[in-house]
Amino acid sequence: MTAIPVPAEAAATAPRFWSRDEVAALFALPFPDLIFRAQTVHRRHFDPCAVQVSTLLSIKTGGCPEDCAYCPQSLHYETGIAAGKLMALDEVLSAARAAKANGASRFCMGAAWRAPNDRDLDRVCAMVAGVKALGLESCATLGMLSAVQAARLKEAGLDYYNHNLDTSPEFYGEIITTRDYRDRLDTLGHVRDAGIHVCCGGIIGMGESREDRIGLIAALASLPEPPESVPINFLVQVEGTPLAGTGRLDPFEFVRTVAAARIAMPRSVVRLSAGREEMSDELQALCFLAGANSIFAGDRLLTTANPAVEHDRALFRRLGLVAMEADRE
Ligand code: SAM
Ligand code: DTB
Ligand code: SF4
């Protein structure tokens, strides 16, 4: 049997700058060629059957002053989500214990803040330390951070910080007006400088063009260092947000975006993030073939639904996938 030749470009998988033209050329490939490229790169760096499993908890829900057009937690939109207070430490830790029992290796705490204040940050630091003490990796997404705040989270034991670019620099202004792309890059710089792993990705299906999806992937891959974790979210359309009613994107275009992320960021864990509840098992399988190797498990994301743990277990069994151990990234 003759060996399948590895494309020369796929052999060069060291982190490097990705121009838009190069990313555009990936999107333009025939689907089978794109998936082959993604699989080739994926197998060079990862076990293609191992999937990292994170669990999300909204530790502070709703009432957010930002105007992100996709977000049910913004106080600019009527979505029926009431503004809550920061959860108590013991409640957070019992959710973390349950996540661990369900097979998660990482626990991610999300807060609907523009940026945390110092008093709230003290409380989040205690949560991070408690999650670590349970033997879980910790992740937080709290909005913008200063350099000092990032250093404090690192000291508390934070492993990952999630802060997304969300979309291309050009489309960004259509989605968020209350903070700009530069603010996001600054926070990502503070997180990186503090020695915390970066989790940074975006949302697909917001009415952006292919050029914007290309711009997002090029921006992520060309950060000073590629993010260790890259969540690719399929927009969850929530009634009351400006993006409710956006025309549904061709799901193959979502798979192409996952594949482009995999190829442009060969050593990053690419997370098939929000939107799985509305995807068929077959579409999710295509995303895994395209190089996705992480999911959020648990029947809730922050405020919206996610597939039941039992359903995901069955899907993993049917596909021969296994949960990745902690520390794999
Ligand atoms: N407030 C913090 C922030 O924005 O950085 C943390 C939480 S925020 C909900 C985290 C990310 O969730 C956003 O950057 C966005 O990419 C994603 N997200 C929020 N609502 C979404 C939706 N309806 N569909 C898909 N992704 C969504
Ligand atoms: C990310 O990129 N996706 C997650 C996580 N980071 C925090 C959040 C998805 C939220 C989906 C909408 C909701 O449940 O409120
Ligand atoms: Fe606030 Fe984050 Fe939602 Fe934007 S995405 S409105 S910052 S909670």
Side-chain angles (χ1 to χ4, degrees), residues 56 60 64 66 68-73 109-115 140-144 161-167 176 179 184 187 201-204 206 231-238 241 243 273-275 296 301-304:
L56 259 180
K60 193 275 167 193
C64 184
E66 301 290 290
C68 312
Y70 49 74
C71 188
Q73 303 200 69
M109 295 165 277
W113 289 322
R114 170 176 167 79
T141 178
L142 317 169
M144 293 188 285
Y161 194 78
N162 167 241
H163 199 66
N164 292 337
L165 290 180
D166 276 347
T167 188
I176 301 150
R179 62 180 161 185
R184 296 200 177 235
T187 291
I203 311 180
I204 308 304
M206 299 194 290
I232 306 291
N233 297 278
F234 206 161
L235 175 71
V236 180
Q237 298 196 12
V238 178
T241 63
L243 295 187
S273 195
F296 283 120
L301 290 165
L302 291 171
T303 64
T304 63

Side-chain angles (χ1 to χ4, degrees), residues 24-323:
L26 296 176
F27 272 83
L29 284 171
F31 196 73
D33 292 338
L34 177 62
I35 299 299
F36 175 60
R37 282 275 302 267
Q39 269 283 308
T40 306
V41 172
H42 192 177
R43 284 164 182 268
R44 188 158 289 141
H45 297 285
F46 293 100
D47 173 349
C49 303
V51 176
Q52 192 278 330
V53 179
S54 293
T55 289
L56 259 180
L57 177 69
S58 180
I59 58 171
K60 193 275 167 193
T61 305
C64 184
E66 301 290 290
D67 68 353
C68 312
Y70 49 74
C71 188
Q73 303 200 69
S74 166
L75 54 69
H76 296 261
Y77 318 125
E78 292 286 333
T79 61
I81 291 178
K85 288 202 200 124
L86 181 58
M87 274 173 79
L89 177 63
D90 58 340
E91 281 179 88
V92 172
L93 295 186
S94 55
R97 267 183 225 104
K100 191 176 180 189
N102 275 329
S105 61
R106 187 175 313 154
F107 190 67
C108 181
M109 295 165 277
W113 289 322
R114 170 176 167 79
N117 65 37
D118 288 341
R119 208 176 117 257
D120 287 332
L121 197 76
D122 285 340
R123 293 183 57 197
V124 175
C125 285
M127 294 171 192
V128 168
V131 166
K132 292 293 290 174
L134 294 173
L136 283 161
E137 291 177 329
S138 57
C139 174
T141 178
L142 317 169
M144 293 188 285
L145 290 185
S146 68
V148 172
Q149 289 178 321
R152 286 186 51 213
L153 285 165
K154 171 69 180 174
E155 210 185 328
L158 190 69
D159 296 303
Y160 288 82
Y161 194 78
N162 167 241
H163 199 66
N164 292 337
L165 290 180
D166 276 347
T167 188
S168 68
E170 295 76 20
F171 193 63
Y172 184 91
E174 305 285 315
I175 301 297
I176 301 150
T177 69
T178 48
R179 62 180 161 185
D180 60 28
Y181 221 68
R182 185 68 249 167
D183 294 325
R184 296 200 177 235
L185 293 169
D186 288 347
T187 291
L188 292 168
H190 297 324
V191 170
R192 181 58 81 199
D193 291 347
I196 299 169
H197 294 316
V198 171
C199 172
C200 183
I203 311 180
I204 308 304
M206 299 194 290
E208 78 285 346
S209 63
R210 176 178 274 190
E211 190 53 40
D212 293 313
R213 293 185 280 280
I214 291 166
L216 169 67
I217 299 301
L220 291 169
S222 303
L223 285 169
E225 284 178 69
E228 281 79 7
S229 172
V230 181
I232 306 291
N233 297 278
F234 206 161
L235 175 71
V236 180
Q237 298 196 12
V238 178
E239 215 44 61
T241 63
L243 295 187
T246 304
R248 180 110 177 129
L249 181 74
D250 176 359
F252 291 133
E253 188 67 13
F254 181 81
V255 181
R256 282 182 182 276
T257 311
V258 169
R262 163 53 61 226
I263 296 165
M265 291 169 278
R267 292 180 170 80
S268 304
V269 167
V270 176
R271 180 170 305 121
L272 178 52
S273 195
R276 287 198 305 119
E277 173 72 359
E278 286 156 20
M279 290 181 196
S280 67
D281 290 343
E282 294 80 2
L283 176 56
Q284 293 186 59
L286 267 182
C287 292
F288 294 130
L289 286 177
N293 59 348
S294 172
I295 58 164
F296 283 120
D299 55 12
R300 193 145 282 278
L301 290 165
L302 291 171
T303 64
T304 63
N306 197 43
V309 170
E310 248 332 301
H311 187 96
D312 283 340
R313 266 196 204 126
L315 181 61
F316 273 35
R317 264 197 309 274
R318 289 165 68 205
L319 299 177
L321 300 177
V322 293

